[in-house]
Amino acid sequence: MSSPSKRRDMDVMKLMMSDYTVETINDGITEFNVEFHGPKESLYEGGVWKIRVELPDAYPYKSPSIGFLNKIFHPNVDELSGSVCLDVINQSWSPMFDLLNVFEVFLPQLLLYPNPSDPLNGDAASLMMKDKNQYEQKVKEYCERYAKKENIIGTPKDESDEEISEEDFSGQSDSDDEVVGHADP
């Protein structure tokens, strides 16, 4: 068991020493947030997201759980939970991959090449297939509204939490708030 533990420590350290901002949670090795910028020349360029990463005990033999904490409009990302539908993370993960692969290859590829035929967000998938221009406009609106640097600083939950004033807060939105930001197990 020391081998997966050493590998986990090494991968987390590699990520921390790279250009990514990593914010540790609890023990700092198995659960953390990473600042992720939308890839250049994509609809998501200029957007900044906080990504929750949870590493299972069996990492790297078992894939990490990845989830967007602030909202993103994308066919393969669940709008409420932030869960990511990405085959390489969910089904075909290999111990050859590491955390840098997730942030330098897998997530940028997901944003550059959405797959509307395998959606977690049916509205985004449907809009992408029916009206590409309207889809692109909505992606850009979400980036403007939810994916700015100031939206992710110091908030472990979805940005909508900050938009609700105390007098506007009702118990009805509470269940949505609890779901947002939990990575898919």
Side-chain angles (χ1 to χ4, degrees):
M1 198 64 175
S2 68
S3 178
S5 174
K6 285 180 184 175
R7 167 67 189 275
R8 180 175 49 239
D9 294 352
M10 186 177 73
D11 282 3
V12 172
M13 287 306 294
K14 262 177 36 178
L15 190 63
M16 291 175 136
M17 291 169 36
S18 69
D19 291 336
Y20 297 98
T21 302
V22 179
E23 173 187 291
T24 59
I25 300 169
N26 301 329
D27 68 5
I29 297 299
T30 60
E31 203 176 341
F32 49 90
N33 297 326
V34 179
E35 185 178 302
F36 175 72
H37 294 259
K40 290 187 186 329
E41 298 179 22
S42 77
L43 294 174
Y44 302 93
E45 183 174 8
V48 183
W49 289 269
K50 187 180 276 192
I51 307 291
R52 168 66 58 89
V53 179
E54 293 179 21
L55 300 179
D57 290 340
Y59 178 87
Y61 303 107
K62 190 166 186 265
S63 66
S65 292
I66 306 292
F68 284 79
L69 292 182
N70 45 327
K71 287 187 179 186
I72 183 169
F73 192 72
H74 190 285
N76 310 113
V77 180
D78 185 272
E79 189 171 0
L80 288 177
S81 70
S83 297
V84 175
C85 180
L86 186 57
D87 183 56
V88 76
I89 291 175
N90 297 328
Q91 279 94 31
S92 53
W93 177 263
S94 161
M96 293 181 351
F97 302 138
D98 66 14
L99 294 171
L100 280 175
N101 291 130
V102 170
F103 289 95
E104 292 181 353
V105 180
F106 304 151
L107 286 178
Q109 291 293 312
L110 179 76
L111 297 188
L112 284 163
Y113 307 106
N115 180 6
S117 62
D118 186 22
L120 275 177
N121 182 337
D123 292 341
S126 176
L127 192 58
M128 181 182 183
M129 291 189 291
K130 290 179 182 169
D131 189 341
K132 189 101 169 153
N133 289 335
Q134 194 176 357
Y135 166 78
E136 290 176 0
Q137 183 59 38
K138 190 149 186 180
V139 166
K140 290 175 184 174
E141 285 173 15
Y142 267 60
C143 287
E144 277 297 313
R145 188 167 180 192
Y146 303 109
K148 293 297 175 199
K149 180 96 169 165
E150 58 270 16
N151 295 350
I152 66 166
I153 296 172
T155 176
K157 289 190 172 191
D158 182 276
E159 174 55 23
S160 64
D161 290 349
E162 289 181 14
E163 293 174 4
I164 301 170
S165 66
E166 289 193 28
E167 60 268 4
D168 291 340
F169 183 77
S170 73
Q172 293 174 340
S173 66
D174 197 34
S175 62
D176 288 344
D177 293 343
E178 289 175 14
V179 173
V180 171
H182 293 286
D184 195 22

